[in-house]
Structures are given as structure tokens and as C-alpha cells.
Amino acid sequence: SETTLDRLEDDKIYVIGGIVDRNRLKRVAMDRANTLGVATAKFPLDVHLAKMSSTPVLACNHVFNLLIKCREYGNDWAKALEEVLPSRKEAIL
């Protein structure tokens, strides 16, 4: 998505995309969302991470945990990312 998710809002429903559409099914999730008029957004990884050694693609459980922690920490993405991202990603805030 071109839109960055800055804050979680109480009146929104968040759906986690479970299809990695950068290989065989390129853009299938994004195209479907656009067809249905569903808003899309990406996590603010580029805003809060100086470096990550691997791909920014996250497993669904990491996405879910980031949403929970971000909510728990009052939309503090940096704190949530620090706690949730696995060490193998070698993320530097």
C-alpha cells in the first residue's frame, strides 16, 4: 500500500493480509482490496527502522502481535517493533 498506518483507531476493523503477493500471485491481495473498495495500509517500518537485514515481509503472527502491542503502547510503533520483531530480522531502530 502507498498509505502508512500511523495510528490504530477504535472504529476501524483491521484485516491481516495472508497472501504474499510479490512472486507467483503478484498484487492479488492489493488488487482485490482495490476492487472491493477496501482501504489498505502498510506498517511504518521505514519510519521507525534504520535498518533490517532481511525482507520487510512479516509473518501473520508478527503482524497480529504488532497490532496488539501498538495498541497496548498507545500507538508507539517503535516500542512495539522493538518487542515483536524476531532477532533474525536484525532490526535497528
Side-chain angles (χ1 to χ4, degrees):
S1 180
E2 296 299 319
T3 305
T4 300
L5 181 62
D6 296 316
R7 311 185 46 76
L8 298 179
E9 299 177 37
D10 292 337
D11 62 342
K12 300 252 170 113
I13 295 171
Y14 297 92
V15 177
I16 299 170
I19 297 174
V20 177
D21 53 0
R22 59 189 178 128
N23 294 320
R24 189 174 73 88
L25 300 173
K26 194 162 190 77
R27 290 193 48 89
V28 70
M30 182 65 76
D31 290 344
R32 181 72 172 151
N34 289 337
T35 298
L36 296 173
V38 175
T40 62
K42 61 184 175 182
F43 284 160
L45 298 179
D46 53 343
V47 174
H48 296 286
L49 296 178
K51 180 183 170 192
M52 190 160 54
S53 68
S54 65
T55 176
V57 175
L58 302 175
C60 288
N61 61 310
H62 295 129
V63 172
F64 182 75
N65 288 335
L66 273 171
L67 290 170
I68 289 173
K69 290 299 179 182
C70 187
R71 170 56 108 204
E72 182 180 323
Y73 297 145
N75 285 303
D76 186 339
W77 284 99
K79 191 172 179 179
L81 288 163
E82 183 176 31
E83 185 168 331
V84 172
L85 290 180
S87 59
R88 73 177 180 281
K89 292 276 188 189
E90 298 177 0
I92 298 172
L93 296 170

